[in-house]
Amino acid sequence: MNAVPLRAEFPGLAGGWHYLDTAATAQKPRAVLDATLKAMGADYATVHRGVYARSAEMTLAFEAARGKVAALIGGRNDELVFTRGATEAINLVAYSYPNKGRVLLSVLEHHSNIVPWQLAGWQVDVCPLTADGRIDLDAAEAMLTPEHTMVAFAHVSNVLGSVLDAPRAAELAHRVGAKLLLDGCQAVPRLPVDVAALGCDFYAFSSHKLYGPTGIGALWGWGELLEAMPPWQGGGAMIDRVTFERTTYAAPPQRFEAGTPAIVEAIGFGAAADWVAAHGLAAIHAHEAALVAQLRSELRRRNDITLFGPEESAGIVSFAMEGVHPHDLGTILDEAGVAIRAGHHCAQPLMDHLGVPATARASFGLYSDESDIAALLAGIERTRRIFG
Ligand code: PMP
């Protein structure tokens, strides 16, 4: 599990920084930086419009990137819409899904899987959690009615690391005629994902958590569902024919990609998908699971620490230290070159449920190793001495 040679691929980790905030955003490997720089430099041109060779080549590279990202989750190219990120992907479905009824969310959702449904006028119901912090699918089964047209759950919780039993969630949603949207932001970088095997209908995720650039993400959805959805933003590239009397629209995915796309970012996203696929998500998952098990067992030995979430969490460990606000812990750790996240993690309803204003969160990536855990534990010791 010695990740040191791999770490050298990440300029963002230079200087021995102990980066334990990968769930917020992942550091970028050289392969992604190189692909992005080349796309913005030597290869740069617009896509889908130019009659000159450079633009045609850029269009091929852009569409190839779409194919790489789609392949990573077992989807088809024409079923993968590029968005600004997971947030925009969920907003797209919340606004454009034609059958707006009741949506079942859960207590552990990120704000980006709560607020879009509220804004777009859905009736929101909230599924409770099990005692160890998983979405309680027995409760979901009892709550779901034919009025529900959508179930939208995090595949992996960004706070607790709990992994959803997605096939069962899909089965429950489909039984009442609802669709299942999975927020895959934290799952795509940590688990092998195959949308057909999961049984979901929509899958939303962000490039920047997958070792790729910011500013781009994806919505995958079954072709016939995307086909039935009207556009939600208008502009260039999403049309078939425009007149002042009547405008017709392009087929998906272009229908949902108004304007000049994030060309450079898409190519970086494709490079990130390649990089992750080359390392293998099963291997990434195993690596992070071992680090989670080690950190949880170390923290469990301390009687001043409360651990949140299930034992088998995917790459994420949230905890609280008695008598120390997570922000103070984060600040003291920062002085020692250890970066953790402290706060509500854009999951205020979950904080209310846990009865805390904030948690401290350590999250891993493929570049994380035991030295990061050792530095975190040393920082926790130092914090205890300071707070007495
Ligand atoms: N869902 C989850 C579970 C997340 O962790 C995040 C990012 N913290 C988001 C959605 C939103 O992603 P983005 O900000 O990249 O759109």
Side-chain angles (χ1 to χ4, degrees), residues 23 85-87 110 112 156 158 183 185-186 206 208-209:
T87 300
H110 189 280
S112 63
V156 168
N158 66 311
D183 170 357
C185 244
Q186 299 296 344
S206 289
H208 70 99
K209 305 208 191 240

Side-chain angles (χ1 to χ4, degrees), residues 272-295:
D274 275 348
W275 187 86
V276 164
H279 284 279
L281 276 153
I284 295 174
H285 180 61
H287 177 75
E288 294 185 16
L291 293 172
V292 163
Q294 188 192 342
L295 178 57

